[in-house]
Amino acid sequence: MLLLLLPVLLFALATWQVVTDGPLLTVDEHLSGDIVHPDRFWELLSDLGNVQVAVPVLALAVGCAAWRGRLAGLDRWWLPPAAAALTMALVPALVVPLKEWTARPATPVMPPAVGYYPSGHTATAAVAYGATALLVLPWLRSPAGRRVTVAACTALVLAVSTGLLIRGYHWPLDVVASWCLATVLLTALWRVISRSSRRTSAGTPRRRSGPS
């Protein structure tokens, strides 16, 4: 429950500050000014959160998970891949209206515009790479393989977030809010996948049994 409550509260606080132009925005703007250093390297890192990069990675994981589950004859093999795809689809469905509602201005290094809260690139990267890890982990037998997978996906999300901040594409609060949103979505996805696995191991045949 804490995995959901804490990010929801943090997201609500950040959104409230953005909408009301609260004092937290002053801290946010000072922090952004201290860390911004636009150059090509940070831009390339932020590009890892592009839809054209992150979503195909998840699509590959969805296809592999569906193929492995069907090949293994698992009941409800389609549920984890479908849940992951739905989770990814929820990102623009949630982020776009929030951008329009909050209408937060861009950072000083960006052209004048609004709609920067929350960060769509951060949310896309966190959900796409996080969901990829959740789909892949059940099929990895080695603990080392699981650790490497989690570490790699975490590193990708942090790379995107850092690139966005140092390049000056987003305010820090935009990125933190997207972390919170992604945490809620990925926690819900993890529960769907784990419940599906428990149901299979608790009595549902793992493989379809053909006629004897």
Side-chain angles (χ1 to χ4, degrees):
M1 190 64 177
L2 186 62
L3 285 176
L4 289 176
L5 183 59
L6 183 58
V8 167
L9 291 176
L10 288 175
F11 183 82
L13 173 63
T15 305
W16 170 56
Q17 290 292 290
V18 170
V19 171
T20 62
D21 197 20
L24 192 57
L25 293 194
T26 302
V27 179
D28 195 38
E29 291 165 3
H30 281 309
L31 179 59
S32 178
D34 290 339
I35 64 176
V36 166
H37 181 68
D39 64 28
R40 182 60 177 164
F41 174 74
W42 301 111
E43 183 177 344
L44 289 174
L45 287 185
S46 68
D47 286 345
L48 294 173
N50 287 347
V51 169
Q52 298 87 342
V53 177
V55 172
V57 173
L58 176 59
L60 180 61
V62 166
C64 289
W67 176 72
R68 289 290 301 270
R70 185 173 176 82
L71 188 66
L74 302 183
D75 288 338
R76 302 182 66 162
W77 55 267
W78 48 268
L79 183 56
L86 176 61
T87 302
M88 190 70 248
L90 286 174
V91 172
L94 294 172
V95 169
V96 172
L98 282 166
K99 285 179 174 290
E100 294 179 355
W101 175 50
T102 56
R104 189 178 191 189
T107 64
V109 301
M110 297 295 291
V114 295
Y116 278 75
Y117 176 92
S119 166
H121 276 67
T122 304
T124 298
V127 172
Y129 299 132
T132 295
L134 292 177
L135 287 175
V136 169
L137 287 176
W139 299 102
L140 297 177
R141 298 180 180 273
S142 166
R146 296 189 184 98
R147 287 193 294 269
V148 169
T149 299
V150 172
C153 291
T154 302
L156 285 170
V157 176
L158 292 178
V160 171
S161 303
T162 304
L164 291 170
L165 293 176
I166 298 182
R167 176 58 179 80
Y169 284 139
H170 275 286
W171 305 102
L173 209 57
D174 304 343
V175 171
V176 172
S178 290
W179 286 348
C180 294
L181 181 61
T183 298
V184 173
L185 293 175
L186 290 175
T187 300
L189 175 61
W190 171 73
R191 289 186 173 181
V192 170
I193 293 176
S194 61
R195 285 178 181 176
S196 176
S197 300
R198 285 199 302 268
R199 186 172 301 170
T200 298
S201 61
T204 304
R206 293 189 60 87
R207 300 179 181 273
R208 298 190 195 92
S209 53
S212 57

